[in-house]
């Protein structure tokens, strides 16, 4: 079964606002997580990753937070832009087994 | 920046026909994958390939499916006798080792009529 899941299937935000997309995982031994973005008609694209020895990791306009106590991940997008409209997946790439995707959260940016 | 490429971008075929979907993974990568995504559904794992053999496959990857790395650059997915339910986006992915992020290609949209 799925080891990762998402709290909300859709999220609508105003352009310029911050977006927060959440994800829960079930395997407390998981030590590596990736966020992917999938735009319409395209393949998943790596955004950012985080290892379990970190609580927070920042990229360009994106931040991933990891709460190992409650087994929760979040992806924060600052100053959301129309180009951020996509489906976002958290994924847990376990060693030597296939990548598991959840259904994703569809982010819609309202101009 | 190196990227995974896939051809064709769209393939239309009749039910029962064979199709071959092609992928060129990133050149120094060693692990290769096929996934599919039926319209409106999540991305599903099909098969992983390493060292010229299948390392893992899902229950979707039945006897109608096969993969091959015919030369040093291409990685192909063959569906022997397509069914209507094989209509989906098929994504190829690769990574340099199995612990890191997978790089996905743009996908091939397969339509079975």
């Amino acid at each position: 079964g799925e080891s990762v899941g998402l709290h909300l299937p859709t999220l609508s935000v105003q352009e310029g606002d911050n977006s927060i997309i959440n994800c829960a995982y079930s395997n407390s031994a998981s030590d590596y997580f990736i966020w992917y973005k999938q735009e319409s008609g395209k393949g998943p694209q790596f955004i950012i990753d985080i290892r379990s020895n970190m609580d927070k990791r920042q990229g360009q306009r994106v931040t991933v937070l990891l709460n190992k106590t409650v087994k929760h991940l979040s992806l924060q997008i600052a100053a959301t832009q129309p180009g951020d409209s996509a489906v976002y997946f958290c994924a847990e790439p376990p060693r030597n087994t296939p990548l598991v995707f959840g259904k994703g959260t569809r982010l819609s940016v309202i101009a | 920046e190196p990227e995974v490429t896939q051809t064709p971008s769209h393939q239309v075929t009749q039910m029962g026909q064979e199709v071959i979907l092609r992928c060129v993974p990133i050149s120094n990568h060693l692990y290769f994958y096929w996934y599919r995504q039926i319209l409106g559904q999540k991305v599903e794992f099909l098969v992983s390939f390493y060292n010229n053999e299948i390392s893992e496959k899902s229950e979707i990857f039945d006897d109608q499916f096969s993969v091959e790395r015919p030369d040093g650059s291409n990685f192909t997915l063959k569906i022997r006798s397509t069914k209507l339910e094989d209509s989906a986006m098929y994504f190829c992915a690769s990574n340099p080792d199995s612990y890191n992020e997978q790089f996905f290609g743009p996908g091939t949209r397969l339509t079975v009529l």
Side-chain angles (χ1 to χ4, degrees):
Chain A
E2 283 184 47
S3 63
V4 290
L6 290 146
H7 293 308
L8 292 172
T10 60
L11 176 67
S12 294
V13 297
Q14 291 287 337
E15 182 178 357
D17 286 353
N18 296 334
S19 304
I20 299 177
I21 300 170
N22 296 304
C23 183
Y25 63 96
S26 56
N27 184 359
S28 56
S30 297
D31 59 1
Y32 181 50
F33 303 91
I34 299 178
W35 280 98
Y36 283 93
K37 168 186 180 182
Q38 187 179 21
E39 295 176 79
S40 181
K42 297 184 179 179
Q45 180 184 14
F46 172 86
I47 304 173
I48 192 168
D49 59 1
I50 188 167
R51 296 195 183 272
S52 60
N53 60 349
M54 304 170 72
D55 296 323
K56 179 179 178 178
R57 189 158 189 227
Q58 287 185 291
Q60 189 178 16
R61 284 200 306 116
V62 294
T63 301
V64 56
L65 300 178
L66 175 62
N67 185 329
K68 295 180 284 293
T69 303
V70 295
K71 292 184 282 190
H72 180 268
L73 277 167
S74 69
L75 177 71
Q76 301 179 1
I77 304 172
T80 313
Q81 301 169 1
D84 294 326
S85 293
V87 178
Y88 290 81
F89 301 91
C90 62
E92 175 192 359
R95 295 192 170 118
N96 301 321
T97 57
L99 198 59
V100 176
F101 287 91
K103 275 193 173 180
T105 293
R106 180 173 297 282
L107 175 65
S108 299
V109 181
I110 304 164
Chain B
E1 187 174 328
E3 57 184 19
V4 177
T5 59
Q6 289 185 243
T7 53
S9 57
H10 191 187
Q11 173 89 51
V12 181
T13 189
Q14 295 289 328
M15 189 170 57
Q17 295 296 304
E18 174 183 288
V19 294
I20 298 176
L21 310 183
R22 291 182 167 81
C23 169
V24 179
I26 294 173
S27 62
N28 62 342
H29 287 187
L30 300 176
Y31 294 80
F32 314 113
Y33 310 83
W34 283 101
Y35 293 84
R36 79 171 186 192
Q37 186 177 32
I38 295 171
L39 185 64
Q41 298 187 23
K42 60 186 178 183
V43 177
E44 300 174 290
F45 168 76
L46 292 177
V47 65
S48 58
F49 192 87
Y50 170 71
N51 200 26
N52 287 319
E53 61 183 23
I54 291 173
S55 48
E56 187 142 3
K57 59 184 181 180
S58 72
E59 59 187 23
I60 302 169
F61 193 88
D62 61 22
D63 292 344
Q64 293 299 311
F65 291 88
S66 63
V67 289
E68 194 177 33
R69 189 154 163 82
D71 53 44
S73 59
N74 291 284
F75 179 51
T76 62
L77 175 69
K78 181 193 290 186
I79 309 175
R80 289 190 185 82
S81 178
T82 49
K83 303 186 286 290
L84 295 176
E85 53 265 37
D86 293 327
S87 295
M89 283 288 286
Y90 287 81
F91 295 107
C92 173
S94 69
N95 57 2
D97 64 62
S98 62
Y99 299 162
N100 289 330
E101 66 174 285
Q102 294 175 22
F103 294 80
F104 283 79
T108 292
R109 179 172 297 282
L110 177 64
T111 302
V112 182
L113 303 176

